[in-house]
Amino acid sequence: MLDTLKTLCYLNGVSGFEDEVRDYILQRALPYADSVSTDPMGNLYVFKKGKVVTSQKIMVCAHMDEVGFIVMGITDEGYLRFGCVGGIDRRVLIGKKVFVGENRIPGVIAVKAIHQTTADEEGKVPAVDDLYIDIGCCDKESAEKITFLGDFCSFDNNIVEFGDGWLKAKAIDDRVGCATALKLIESELPCDVTFVFSVQEEIGARGAGVAANRLCPDISLVLEGTTATDLPGIAASKRICTAGKGIVVPFMDGGTVYDKAMYSVITALADEKRITWQTKTRIAGGTDGYSIQRSLAGVHTAAISCAVRNIHSPACVLKISEFEDMYKLSYAFLEKLAEGKQVF
């Protein structure tokens, strides 16, 4: 599983440009799938039969896209002006290495030198409009030969295991969910499941809404990465969740009040299986559940997440054992659904 997660994090899939990630997932899933399809948005659907057919249609969703950048202009000097795709804190941008486009053109996000800043500018975080991407071109004509307006840019994909079982990479949100879904597809499933690898979650959970309207599921489980805020100086009462303290089962976030019965079943299963878990203690963030839950006449929706430090940055940090627990708890939930006793 860890190798799969690393590969997925290496791939580039900024919202609207998920092709590379989708192609990899499709290639991995095909030998195990009973059917696969896509839609005009770019969502990937993988249906796999299980041991039993439940009375309700089950959808498991993980989003393929990551935050990144889009080229908005090219200066006469050959620098790239850019906009952010998804929620990125501009404090993490200066000096970061990026890759531009499908050919992975290396670049670096830069700003004018400290020697040129005014007294008013010192100590302030520059606006995105004051930053640029240097791709080593001397003029606009040279830059236009290797990129174009509307091209995507992604964070550097350097991946590191460190410390006591931790992983650093870009795009752990939500390649951790994609890797878990792939592992489920490769397993002998307890029941029939349609897996959705969705697009454009980071810019409004757009793909998942289309998928839910297409599939008409009764039950949806969202696999996600979520914001860990266990940093020095942040009071415990203001922390959303803590990396290393267990898998996250939220009852609410910034976009969704999750199904109370599903929440109870999943947390009880975690206790039964001795899987350490926690919940969010502040309302923050959002998932594809936002658009799935309110599609059609409404869908019973829950989420299982991994706590990720430095989310939406090139240095996302995950406790590897919690990624493994995401798979265990997801599988246990599908087993529960296969029993046919719990109808949401």
Side-chain angles (χ1 to χ4, degrees), residues 8-136:
L8 284 165
C9 288
Y10 175 82
L11 301 174
N12 294 328
V14 175
S15 303
F17 301 89
E18 298 92 351
D19 308 62
E20 191 172 278
V21 180
R22 182 173 53 251
D23 290 347
Y24 172 77
I25 293 173
L26 177 60
Q27 173 264 324
R28 284 285 303 272
L30 269 175
Y32 305 92
D34 288 287
S35 68
V36 297
S37 62
T38 58
D39 62 26
M41 284 285 290
N43 295 309
L44 174 64
Y45 304 83
V46 179
F47 173 72
K48 182 174 180 180
K49 294 179 180 179
K51 296 178 183 178
V52 301
V53 179
T54 62
S55 61
Q56 294 178 301
K57 186 180 292 185
I58 302 164
M59 167 180 165
V60 173
C61 185
H63 70 87
M64 297 183 288
D65 62 312
E66 64 191 273
V67 299
F69 316 96
I70 193 165
V71 178
M72 303 297 295
I74 302 175
T75 71
D76 291 339
E77 299 82 7
Y79 299 111
L80 307 184
R81 296 294 182 188
F82 65 92
C84 293
V85 179
I88 302 177
D89 187 340
R90 66 183 190 274
R91 292 177 301 171
V92 308
L93 298 183
I94 299 173
K96 296 301 187 296
K97 181 180 177 183
V98 297
F99 292 106
V100 180
E102 294 180 355
N103 293 325
R104 298 178 183 270
I105 299 160
V108 62
I109 298 176
V111 69
K112 67 181 180 181
I114 184 67
H115 312 82
Q116 295 176 301
T117 57
T118 66
D120 184 60
E121 291 172 331
E122 289 184 13
K124 294 183 179 179
V125 181
V128 172
D129 286 346
D130 294 325
L131 304 175
Y132 56 86
I133 296 175
D134 185 346
I135 55 172

Side-chain angles (χ1 to χ4, degrees), residues 57-274:
K57 186 180 292 185
I58 302 164
M59 167 180 165
V60 173
C61 185
H63 70 87
M64 297 183 288
D65 62 312
E66 64 191 273
V67 299
F69 316 96
I70 193 165
V71 178
M72 303 297 295
I74 302 175
T75 71
D76 291 339
E77 299 82 7
Y79 299 111
L80 307 184
R81 296 294 182 188
F82 65 92
C84 293
V85 179
I88 302 177
D89 187 340
R90 66 183 190 274
R91 292 177 301 171
V92 308
L93 298 183
I94 299 173
K96 296 301 187 296
K97 181 180 177 183
V98 297
F99 292 106
V100 180
E102 294 180 355
N103 293 325
R104 298 178 183 270
I105 299 160
V108 62
I109 298 176
V111 69
K112 67 181 180 181
I114 184 67
H115 312 82
Q116 295 176 301
T117 57
T118 66
D120 184 60
E121 291 172 331
E122 289 184 13
K124 294 183 179 179
V125 181
V128 172
D129 286 346
D130 294 325
L131 304 175
Y132 56 86
I133 296 175
D134 185 346
I135 55 172
C137 291
C138 297
D139 52 46
K140 185 174 184 178
E141 183 179 13
S142 299
E144 288 178 334
K145 291 179 179 178
I146 55 177
T147 188
F148 52 89
L149 299 188
D151 204 1
F152 73 89
C153 313
S154 60
F155 283 121
D156 177 23
N157 44 27
N158 184 41
I159 300 168
V160 178
E161 285 187 61
F162 69 105
D164 183 21
W166 296 84
L167 179 73
K168 188 279 293 185
K170 72 165 180 67
I172 289 178
D173 170 26
D174 181 32
R175 305 295 158 70
V176 65
C178 292
T180 301
L182 269 175
K183 178 65 174 178
L184 289 169
I185 290 169
E186 293 171 351
S187 304
E188 184 178 13
L189 292 179
C191 53
D192 292 359
V193 179
T194 300
F195 295 87
V196 174
F197 297 91
S198 64
V199 298
Q200 299 187 34
E201 189 271 352
E202 298 292 3
I203 53 176
R206 299 176 182 179
V210 171
N213 281 299
R214 175 176 176 170
L215 292 175
C216 302
D218 299 296
I219 297 170
S220 178
L221 178 65
V222 177
L223 303 177
E224 257 286 16
T226 195
T227 307
T229 51
D230 52 319
L231 297 171
I234 299 178
S237 61
K238 294 185 177 181
R239 295 182 178 184
I240 300 169
C241 60
T242 300
K245 294 296 183 180
I247 205 75
V248 181
V249 185
F251 53 81
M252 183 178 180
D253 58 34
T256 311
V257 178
Y258 293 97
D259 187 284
K260 295 186 289 295
M262 291 180 69
Y263 173 83
S264 296
V265 167
I266 291 171
T267 54
L269 281 170
D271 290 337
E272 178 186 323
K273 302 293 183 180
R274 297 185 179 180

